[in-house]
Amino acid sequence: MATFPTLTTDLYPTRGAEEVLIGRKDPVVWSEPGTAGPFWAHELESYERDGFLPVDQLITPEEVAGYKAEMDRLIADPRTREDERSIVEPQSQEVRSVFEVHRISAVFARLAADPRVVGRARQILGSDVYVHQSRINVKPGFGASGFYWHSDFETWHAEDGLPQMRTVSVSIALTPNYVTNGGLMIMPGSHRTFLGCAGATPKDNYKKSLQMQDAGTPSDDALTKFASACGIKLFTGKAGSATWFDCNAMHGSGDNITPYPRSNVFLVFNSVRNRPEPPFAAPVRRPSFIASQDFTPLR
Protein backbone atom coordinates (compact mmCIF):
# COMPACT_ATOMS: atom_id res chain seq x y z
CA MET A 1 0.00 0.00 0.00
CA ALA A 2 1.26 3.44 -0.90
CA THR A 3 2.48 5.75 1.87
CA PHE A 4 1.91 9.49 1.93
CA PRO A 5 3.65 12.24 3.89
CA THR A 6 2.12 13.88 6.93
CA LEU A 7 0.62 17.23 6.04
CA THR A 8 2.23 20.39 7.39
CA THR A 9 0.44 22.99 5.22
CA ASP A 10 -3.03 23.70 3.92
CA LEU A 11 -3.14 22.10 0.47
CA TYR A 12 -6.54 23.54 -0.40
CA PRO A 13 -7.01 27.17 0.77
CA THR A 14 -10.60 28.39 0.67
CA ARG A 15 -12.99 31.03 2.05
CA GLY A 16 -10.61 33.85 1.13
CA ALA A 17 -11.22 37.16 -0.60
CA GLU A 18 -11.55 35.55 -4.04
CA GLU A 19 -12.37 32.18 -5.58
CA VAL A 20 -9.35 30.07 -6.49
CA LEU A 21 -8.88 26.96 -8.62
CA ILE A 22 -6.37 24.40 -7.36
CA GLY A 23 -5.43 21.17 -9.11
CA ARG A 24 -6.05 18.07 -7.05
CA LYS A 25 -2.97 17.03 -5.06
CA ASP A 26 -4.30 13.70 -3.77
CA PRO A 27 -5.06 10.33 -5.37
CA VAL A 28 -8.65 9.50 -6.27
CA VAL A 29 -8.32 5.76 -5.67
CA TRP A 30 -5.89 5.25 -2.80
CA SER A 31 -5.54 1.46 -2.84
CA GLU A 32 -2.88 -0.30 -4.89
CA PRO A 33 -3.98 -1.73 -8.25
CA GLY A 34 -5.30 -5.25 -7.82
CA THR A 35 -6.42 -4.73 -4.21
CA ALA A 36 -9.25 -7.17 -3.51
CA GLY A 37 -12.73 -5.81 -2.89
CA PRO A 38 -16.30 -5.61 -4.18
CA PHE A 39 -15.38 -3.29 -7.07
CA TRP A 40 -13.98 -4.69 -10.30
CA ALA A 41 -10.81 -3.07 -11.64
CA HIS A 42 -12.68 -1.43 -14.54
CA GLU A 43 -15.17 0.05 -12.07
CA LEU A 44 -12.39 1.68 -10.08
CA GLU A 45 -10.93 3.02 -13.32
CA SER A 46 -14.30 4.59 -14.13
CA TYR A 47 -14.54 6.03 -10.63
CA GLU A 48 -11.06 7.49 -10.86
CA ARG A 49 -11.84 9.08 -14.23
CA ASP A 50 -15.30 10.49 -13.50
CA GLY A 51 -15.31 10.91 -9.72
CA PHE A 52 -18.40 8.74 -9.28
CA LEU A 53 -19.71 5.25 -9.92
CA PRO A 54 -23.36 4.10 -9.95
CA VAL A 55 -24.27 0.62 -8.72
CA ASP A 56 -27.54 -0.70 -10.14
CA GLN A 57 -28.45 -2.75 -7.06
CA LEU A 58 -26.42 -2.38 -3.90
CA ILE A 59 -29.17 -3.70 -1.62
CA THR A 60 -32.08 -6.02 -2.37
CA PRO A 61 -35.76 -5.01 -2.65
CA GLU A 62 -36.45 -6.77 0.65
CA GLU A 63 -33.70 -4.78 2.33
CA VAL A 64 -35.00 -1.56 0.79
CA ALA A 65 -38.38 -2.22 2.40
CA GLY A 66 -36.77 -2.65 5.80
CA TYR A 67 -34.64 0.49 5.55
CA LYS A 68 -37.52 2.56 4.24
CA ALA A 69 -39.71 1.36 7.11
CA GLU A 70 -37.00 2.41 9.55
CA MET A 71 -36.74 5.82 7.86
CA ASP A 72 -40.51 6.28 8.05
CA ARG A 73 -40.46 5.27 11.71
CA LEU A 74 -37.81 7.86 12.54
CA ILE A 75 -39.57 10.63 10.63
CA ALA A 76 -42.90 9.88 12.33
CA ASP A 77 -41.40 9.92 15.82
CA PRO A 78 -42.04 13.34 17.46
CA ARG A 79 -38.75 12.99 19.29
CA THR A 80 -36.94 13.03 15.95
CA ARG A 81 -38.28 16.47 15.05
CA GLU A 82 -37.22 17.81 18.46
CA ASP A 83 -33.70 16.39 18.14
CA GLU A 84 -30.97 18.84 17.08
CA ARG A 85 -29.84 16.24 14.56
CA SER A 86 -32.99 16.84 12.50
CA ILE A 87 -33.19 19.55 9.83
CA VAL A 88 -36.64 20.81 8.78
CA GLU A 89 -37.77 22.47 5.54
CA PRO A 90 -37.97 26.27 6.05
CA GLN A 91 -41.32 26.51 4.24
CA SER A 92 -43.24 23.32 5.02
CA GLN A 93 -41.55 22.63 8.38
CA GLU A 94 -41.33 18.98 7.39
CA VAL A 95 -38.23 16.97 8.30
CA ARG A 96 -35.65 17.31 5.53
CA SER A 97 -32.70 15.35 6.95
CA VAL A 98 -31.80 13.39 10.05
CA PHE A 99 -28.10 13.21 10.86
CA GLU A 100 -26.09 10.54 12.66
CA VAL A 101 -28.60 7.84 11.78
CA HIS A 102 -25.98 5.13 12.21
CA ARG A 103 -25.96 6.05 15.92
CA ILE A 104 -29.68 6.74 16.31
CA SER A 105 -30.70 3.50 14.60
CA ALA A 106 -29.25 0.00 14.92
CA VAL A 107 -30.79 -0.75 11.51
CA PHE A 108 -28.74 1.94 9.76
CA ALA A 109 -25.67 1.04 11.85
CA ARG A 110 -25.80 -2.42 10.28
CA LEU A 111 -26.02 -0.87 6.82
CA ALA A 112 -22.92 1.29 7.43
CA ALA A 113 -20.96 -1.81 8.48
CA ASP A 114 -22.32 -4.04 5.69
CA PRO A 115 -19.37 -5.54 3.71
CA ARG A 116 -21.03 -4.49 0.43
CA VAL A 117 -20.85 -0.90 1.66
CA VAL A 118 -17.80 -0.53 3.88
CA GLY A 119 -15.80 -2.92 1.69
CA ARG A 120 -16.16 -0.57 -1.27
CA ALA A 121 -15.17 2.41 0.88
CA ARG A 122 -12.01 0.63 2.07
CA GLN A 123 -11.16 -0.31 -1.51
CA ILE A 124 -11.40 3.29 -2.71
CA LEU A 125 -9.62 4.85 0.27
CA GLY A 126 -6.95 2.19 0.70
CA SER A 127 -7.29 1.90 4.46
CA ASP A 128 -9.66 1.23 7.31
CA VAL A 129 -12.47 3.76 7.47
CA TYR A 130 -14.88 5.30 9.93
CA VAL A 131 -18.19 7.11 9.39
CA HIS A 132 -17.52 10.84 9.12
CA GLN A 133 -21.20 11.61 8.58
CA SER A 134 -24.48 9.78 8.07
CA ARG A 135 -27.99 10.95 7.39
CA ILE A 136 -31.28 10.13 5.80
CA ASN A 137 -32.53 12.67 3.27
CA VAL A 138 -36.29 12.89 2.92
CA LYS A 139 -37.45 14.56 -0.25
CA PRO A 140 -41.24 14.22 -0.42
CA GLY A 141 -43.16 15.37 -3.45
CA PHE A 142 -44.87 18.70 -4.03
CA GLY A 143 -42.12 21.13 -3.21
CA ALA A 144 -39.20 19.61 -1.30
CA SER A 145 -36.23 21.87 -1.89
CA GLY A 146 -32.97 20.78 -3.50
CA PHE A 147 -29.33 21.07 -2.54
CA TYR A 148 -27.36 23.75 -4.40
CA TRP A 149 -24.14 22.99 -6.28
CA HIS A 150 -21.18 22.37 -3.99
CA SER A 151 -18.12 20.25 -3.28
CA ASP A 152 -18.48 18.39 0.01
CA PHE A 153 -14.74 18.49 0.56
CA GLU A 154 -14.74 22.28 0.46
CA THR A 155 -16.98 22.29 3.53
CA TRP A 156 -15.39 19.30 5.23
CA HIS A 157 -11.96 20.90 4.78
CA ALA A 158 -12.98 24.43 5.74
CA GLU A 159 -15.33 23.63 8.64
CA ASP A 160 -14.42 20.08 9.78
CA GLY A 161 -10.66 20.14 9.24
CA LEU A 162 -10.29 17.13 6.92
CA PRO A 163 -6.81 17.73 5.49
CA GLN A 164 -6.87 15.55 2.37
CA MET A 165 -9.30 14.27 -0.26
CA ARG A 166 -9.45 10.79 1.23
CA THR A 167 -13.19 10.61 1.81
CA VAL A 168 -15.97 8.95 -0.18
CA SER A 169 -19.77 9.17 -0.06
CA VAL A 170 -22.50 6.78 -1.08
CA SER A 171 -26.13 7.73 -1.67
CA ILE A 172 -28.39 4.68 -1.46
CA ALA A 173 -31.85 5.14 -2.95
CA LEU A 174 -34.79 4.12 -0.78
CA THR A 175 -37.31 5.30 -3.41
CA PRO A 176 -37.03 5.36 -7.22
CA ASN A 177 -34.91 8.14 -8.70
CA TYR A 178 -36.59 9.57 -11.79
CA VAL A 179 -35.37 12.31 -14.10
CA THR A 180 -38.13 14.49 -12.67
CA ASN A 181 -38.06 14.14 -8.88
CA GLY A 182 -34.95 16.06 -7.88
CA GLY A 183 -32.24 13.48 -8.45
CA LEU A 184 -28.53 13.77 -7.79
CA MET A 185 -26.49 15.63 -10.42
CA ILE A 186 -22.69 15.45 -10.67
CA MET A 187 -20.22 17.14 -13.01
CA PRO A 188 -17.97 14.31 -14.31
CA GLY A 189 -14.27 15.03 -13.79
CA SER A 190 -14.90 18.01 -11.52
CA HIS A 191 -13.22 16.13 -8.68
CA ARG A 192 -9.86 16.85 -10.33
CA THR A 193 -10.03 20.57 -9.52
CA PHE A 194 -10.62 22.13 -6.11
CA LEU A 195 -12.68 25.30 -6.08
CA GLY A 196 -11.74 27.45 -3.13
CA CYS A 197 -14.79 29.62 -2.45
CA ALA A 198 -14.82 33.30 -1.56
CA GLY A 199 -16.11 34.74 1.70
CA ALA A 200 -15.55 34.12 5.39
CA THR A 201 -17.36 31.44 7.38
CA PRO A 202 -19.83 32.75 9.98
CA LYS A 203 -19.84 31.18 13.41
CA ASP A 204 -22.30 28.26 13.65
CA ASN A 205 -22.66 28.41 9.87
CA TYR A 206 -24.01 24.85 9.87
CA LYS A 207 -27.32 26.00 11.38
CA LYS A 208 -28.06 27.93 8.21
CA SER A 209 -26.14 25.94 5.61
CA LEU A 210 -27.98 22.68 6.26
CA GLN A 211 -31.21 24.38 5.24
CA MET A 212 -29.90 26.80 2.61
CA GLN A 213 -26.19 26.91 1.84
CA ASP A 214 -24.44 30.27 1.57
CA ALA A 215 -20.80 30.13 2.71
CA GLY A 216 -18.90 27.67 0.53
CA THR A 217 -21.16 28.22 -2.48
CA PRO A 218 -19.49 28.53 -5.90
CA SER A 219 -20.15 31.59 -8.04
CA ASP A 220 -22.31 31.39 -11.15
CA ASP A 221 -19.24 32.06 -13.27
CA ALA A 222 -17.28 29.21 -11.70
CA LEU A 223 -20.18 26.79 -12.05
CA THR A 224 -20.62 27.76 -15.68
CA LYS A 225 -16.95 27.02 -16.36
CA PHE A 226 -17.15 23.66 -14.55
CA ALA A 227 -20.33 22.66 -16.37
CA SER A 228 -18.93 23.71 -19.75
CA ALA A 229 -15.76 21.68 -19.18
CA CYS A 230 -17.30 18.65 -17.47
CA GLY A 231 -20.97 18.42 -18.40
CA ILE A 232 -23.65 17.27 -15.97
CA LYS A 233 -24.75 13.69 -15.22
CA LEU A 234 -28.20 13.09 -13.68
CA PHE A 235 -28.61 9.82 -11.81
CA THR A 236 -31.74 7.72 -12.07
CA GLY A 237 -32.39 4.24 -10.76
CA LYS A 238 -34.64 1.95 -8.81
CA ALA A 239 -34.80 1.79 -5.04
CA GLY A 240 -31.75 -0.13 -3.87
CA SER A 241 -29.43 1.46 -6.42
CA ALA A 242 -26.55 3.59 -5.21
CA THR A 243 -24.11 6.24 -6.35
CA TRP A 244 -20.57 6.37 -4.98
CA PHE A 245 -18.88 9.72 -5.44
CA ASP A 246 -15.64 11.45 -4.55
CA CYS A 247 -15.60 14.08 -1.83
CA ASN A 248 -14.53 16.81 -4.26
CA ALA A 249 -17.07 16.09 -7.01
CA MET A 250 -19.22 19.13 -7.79
CA HIS A 251 -22.81 18.02 -7.24
CA GLY A 252 -26.30 19.17 -6.33
CA SER A 253 -29.97 18.35 -6.80
CA GLY A 254 -33.08 20.22 -7.84
CA ASP A 255 -36.41 20.74 -6.11
CA ASN A 256 -38.95 17.92 -6.20
CA ILE A 257 -42.28 19.28 -7.42
CA THR A 258 -43.57 15.88 -8.58
CA PRO A 259 -45.90 13.68 -6.52
CA TYR A 260 -43.11 11.09 -6.22
CA PRO A 261 -40.83 11.18 -3.19
CA ARG A 262 -37.06 10.80 -3.50
CA SER A 263 -35.47 9.60 -0.29
CA ASN A 264 -32.05 8.15 0.36
CA VAL A 265 -29.60 7.19 3.06
CA PHE A 266 -26.29 9.02 2.76
CA LEU A 267 -23.08 7.62 4.27
CA VAL A 268 -19.68 9.34 4.29
CA PHE A 269 -16.56 7.28 4.95
CA ASN A 270 -13.24 8.88 5.85
CA SER A 271 -9.87 7.16 6.02
CA VAL A 272 -8.54 6.63 9.52
CA ARG A 273 -5.32 8.16 8.10
CA ASN A 274 -7.12 11.41 7.32
CA ARG A 275 -8.11 12.48 10.80
CA PRO A 276 -9.43 16.02 11.06
CA GLU A 277 -7.23 18.88 12.15
CA PRO A 278 -8.56 22.22 13.43
CA PRO A 279 -10.90 23.76 10.82
CA PHE A 280 -8.93 25.32 7.97
CA ALA A 281 -11.39 28.18 7.34
CA ALA A 282 -13.94 28.39 10.14
CA PRO A 283 -13.90 29.82 13.67
CA VAL A 284 -15.24 26.64 15.28
CA ARG A 285 -15.59 22.98 14.44
CA ARG A 286 -19.04 21.71 13.49
CA PRO A 287 -20.88 19.48 16.00
CA SER A 288 -19.92 15.81 16.17
CA PHE A 289 -23.29 14.67 14.86
CA ILE A 290 -22.36 16.37 11.56
CA ALA A 291 -18.61 15.68 11.61
CA SER A 292 -17.80 12.68 13.77
CA GLN A 293 -15.04 12.79 16.35
CA ASP A 294 -15.21 9.02 16.85
CA PHE A 295 -12.52 7.56 14.57
CA THR A 296 -13.13 3.91 15.47
CA PRO A 297 -12.70 1.81 12.32
CA LEU A 298 -15.73 -0.06 11.08
CA ARG A 299 -15.42 -3.84 11.38
Side-chain angles (χ1 to χ4, degrees):
M1 183 175 295
T3 58
F4 299 90
T6 301
L7 291 183
T8 57
T9 59
D10 181 359
L11 297 178
Y12 302 104
T14 188
R15 311 281 173 100
E18 298 180 349
E19 285 184 322
V20 293
L21 296 176
I22 301 170
R24 186 186 185 109
K25 302 180 186 301
D26 295 312
V28 178
V29 176
W30 289 73
S31 60
E32 296 285 2
T35 299
F39 282 126
W40 293 94
H42 74 274
E43 292 179 313
L44 288 178
E45 291 170 2
S46 177
Y47 176 87
E48 184 166 24
R49 180 189 67 242
D50 296 331
F52 60 80
L53 186 72
V55 176
D56 289 340
Q57 185 177 49
L58 184 64
I59 57 177
T60 67
E62 294 75 19
E63 290 172 314
V64 168
Y67 291 124
K68 187 173 183 305
E70 177 68 355
M71 178 187 71
D72 292 342
R73 181 191 70 81
L74 288 172
I75 298 303
D77 188 338
R79 293 172 296 181
T80 299
R81 176 179 291 275
E82 297 168 0
D83 195 306
E84 67 172 345
R85 292 171 287 192
S86 295
I87 309 301
V88 299
E89 287 279 356
Q91 300 298 324
S92 68
Q93 292 299 301
E94 293 183 359
V95 174
R96 171 190 178 115
S97 301
V98 181
F99 281 80
E100 212 173 37
V101 290
H102 73 294
R103 296 194 183 282
I104 295 174
S105 164
V107 174
F108 287 116
R110 288 195 295 271
L111 178 61
D114 188 303
R116 293 167 296 178
V117 178
V118 72
R120 284 178 164 86
R122 291 192 192 107
Q123 198 177 3
I124 289 172
L125 301 180
S127 69
D128 281 331
V129 300
Y130 69 94
V131 176
H132 174 71
Q133 184 186 106
S134 71
R135 67 178 187 262
I136 48 175
N137 292 324
V138 185
K139 210 171 189 182
F142 302 116
S145 57
F147 294 85
Y148 198 66
W149 290 105
H150 64 286
S151 154
D152 286 329
F153 179 74
E154 194 281 335
T155 296
W156 298 340
H157 183 70
E159 301 185 39
D160 300 339
L162 295 191
Q164 292 182 277
M165 296 179 182
R166 202 169 181 176
T167 314
V168 63
S169 301
V170 61
S171 174
I172 304 172
L174 299 183
T175 56
N177 285 242
Y178 303 116
V179 296
T180 52
N181 66 341
L184 174 67
M185 297 181 288
I186 299 180
M187 297 184 185
S190 59
H191 64 304
R192 294 285 185 181
T193 303
F194 176 74
L195 176 62
C197 296
T201 309
K203 185 178 180 181
D204 292 338
N205 179 56
Y206 77 93
K207 293 180 180 179
K208 179 181 178 183
S209 67
L210 296 177
Q211 290 184 327
M212 187 64 67
Q213 191 165 349
D214 186 11
T217 301
S219 70
D220 291 352
D221 181 62
L223 289 172
T224 300
K225 290 178 180 176
F226 268 80
S228 298
C230 301
I232 296 173
K233 166 72 174 178
L234 170 65
F235 294 90
T236 60
K238 61 187 177 183
S241 64
T243 304
W244 291 86
F245 58 101
D246 181 82
C247 58
N248 190 48
M250 191 67 69
H251 65 287
S253 65
D255 295 350
N256 181 14
I257 61 172
T258 75
Y260 312 114
R262 177 189 167 260
S263 300
N264 68 297
V265 54
F266 182 74
L267 300 168
V268 179
F269 299 97
N270 188 40
S271 169
V272 295
R273 301 179 184 180
N274 192 39
R275 287 194 179 192
E277 301 177 10
F280 286 90
V284 294
R285 190 187 303 277
R286 296 195 299 175
S288 60
F289 68 84
I290 297 175
S292 179
Q293 292 298 300
D294 181 352
F295 312 123
T296 305
L298 288 168
R299 301 297 184 191

